[in-house]
Amino acid sequence: DDGSEFDLFREDIVVSSSNPDLLGIVESVGGQSDSEEEVEESLERGLAKVSWYKQEDNPTTEQVSSLTVVDRIFLYHDVVARRSDPLGQSGYVSDVSILCDCKSVKTGHVTRMVSS
């Protein structure tokens, strides 16, 4: 087991490795669930359902390995662990700082690292 089932989670914001301009949100990941009773049965491990921004055919089923996470939602008191040891020592979110890059639709200018 290489731990790849911990690389992607529901509600992650992702881009396609083959098209980095294609932005989507993960709806479900094969083999994962929000509770012990509701494991996503329709998807095999290594697959994810993604709804792509401004695309008509949603959601689509994608290989987890073909997706890159660009944003992940963390809320206060979420349990977290190191990516390198997801089943090891854990902690919880006690503070959140948000930085973003803003792109003007009209001009294409990007302002980087804008604080919330």
Side-chain angles (χ1 to χ4, degrees):
D1 187 7
D2 64 0
S4 62
E5 70 269 22
F6 298 108
D7 289 345
L8 194 68
F9 296 96
R10 192 172 66 82
E11 298 184 356
D12 279 351
I13 306 300
V14 295
V15 294
S16 167
S17 298
S18 62
N19 183 358
D21 292 329
L22 193 58
L23 189 68
I25 185 166
V26 175
E27 290 190 9
S28 60
V29 180
Q32 289 184 3
S33 71
D34 286 337
S35 70
E36 291 179 17
E37 288 109 28
E38 49 178 73
V39 172
E40 180 59 55
E41 297 293 336
S42 62
L43 286 177
E44 295 177 22
R45 285 188 185 276
L47 298 177
K49 283 187 184 175
V50 178
S51 285
W52 299 104
Y53 180 63
K54 291 190 174 182
Q55 298 294 310
E56 292 183 18
D57 298 325
N58 277 314
T60 61
T61 301
E62 307 288 339
Q63 292 285 333
V64 169
S65 60
S66 73
L67 302 170
T68 301
V69 176
V70 294
D71 193 20
R72 178 168 289 155
I73 297 169
F74 287 108
L75 301 174
Y76 290 105
H77 300 289
D78 277 354
V79 176
V80 294
R82 291 179 188 255
R83 182 173 187 207
S84 62
D85 189 15
L87 298 177
Q89 184 176 359
S90 62
Y92 69 94
V93 176
S94 61
D95 189 25
V96 177
S97 175
I98 300 173
L99 298 174
C100 64
D101 294 346
C102 298
K103 182 177 182 179
S104 169
V105 176
K106 188 174 182 179
T107 66
H109 175 76
V110 176
T111 302
R112 300 201 181 277
M113 305 297 283
V114 177
S115 176
S116 64

